[in-house]
Amino acid sequence: MKKLLLVTLLAILPILSFAKGPDCDSWPMNVSESWLQREGIVDIINLDESKTKSTLLASEKKAKGLYNQIYHFIFYDEKGNTYEIITKNDASYEECSMTAADVYLISKSHINKQVNK
């Protein structure tokens, strides 16, 4: 009986410890797009926002109502090129931009289309 209780507690406790936090991908996404343009990597106008993929990789509760969040974004431009970004910033349920977003370009791929003459 004690073993069953112990196994049950060990199965339930990790679920209770996850800190989901607020849904704040818009702030780091906007910062990432601006960063890509400012660095001369791609013009925001050329990005196809309908194809943008956003994944919350981690959300850690730091203090009362404050979460450190790490997002992975994949941006696509009109030519099919991709730009992968990781961001890190603090957010709360009241404000997504509690701190500036740190932006890291982890990958960019360019599709080379050959034209037959």
Side-chain angles (χ1 to χ4, degrees), residues 19 24 67 72 82 111:
C24 283
Y67 295 82
H72 175 240
T82 61
I111 297 175

Side-chain angles (χ1 to χ4, degrees), residues 31-76:
V31 171
S32 298
E33 289 173 338
S34 297
W35 183 86
L36 285 167
Q37 180 164 317
R38 189 173 57 252
E39 293 299 314
I41 297 169
V42 65
D43 194 344
I44 292 174
I45 295 171
N46 295 328
L47 293 176
D48 185 350
E49 288 195 27
S50 67
K51 293 182 181 178
T52 300
K53 295 180 183 175
S54 169
T55 305
L56 178 62
L57 298 179
S59 182
E60 177 186 17
K61 190 169 186 177
K62 292 176 59 173
K64 186 176 180 182
L66 188 63
Y67 295 82
N68 183 263
Q69 296 190 322
I70 298 174
Y71 279 94
H72 175 240
F73 296 102
I74 303 175
F75 296 100
Y76 296 83

